[in-house]
Amino acid sequence: MEFATIIELSGLGIVALTHLVLIVAKFQKHENKLTAIERRLDDLQDGHLKLVENSKTLHNIEGKIEIMINLYQKNIK
């Protein structure tokens, strides 16, 4: 193999390796974004569960208030 051919092939290898490094860096960047999105979705799901729990609590309180109003109205009559 001629020396010039070896240098050309090694140059192509360096270019290919550089492209590979850039591709891996892009994937890592996207993976970081996906991880951040997953965390945000987890936070939103936790917030939703808390809202559902608070809604149930408010519904229970409303029921108790209705009972108290009914008892009060019966005592007034």
Side-chain angles (χ1 to χ4, degrees):
M1 206 179 258
E2 292 182 22
F3 186 70
T5 306
I6 293 172
I7 290 177
E8 275 184 40
L9 289 176
S10 65
L12 289 174
I14 290 171
V15 170
L17 185 59
T18 302
H19 283 291
L20 183 60
V21 168
L22 292 174
I23 290 170
V24 168
K26 284 183 181 180
F27 276 121
Q28 286 177 338
K29 181 180 176 183
H30 289 297
E31 184 178 3
N32 291 341
K33 286 181 180 179
L34 286 174
T35 302
I37 290 170
E38 287 173 346
R39 277 193 225 116
R40 183 66 182 132
L41 286 172
D42 287 343
D43 291 345
L44 289 171
Q45 187 175 21
D46 290 344
H48 174 73
L49 292 175
K50 288 178 184 175
L51 285 173
V52 169
E53 185 179 316
N54 289 342
S55 175
K56 289 179 183 177
T57 301
L58 286 174
H59 183 71
N60 289 338
I61 291 171
E62 288 173 349
K64 290 176 183 178
I65 289 172
E66 283 182 31
I67 292 171
M68 293 172 71
I69 289 171
N70 289 337
L71 290 173
Y72 179 75
Q73 288 174 346
K74 286 180 184 178
N75 285 336
I76 289 178
K77 293 179 182 180

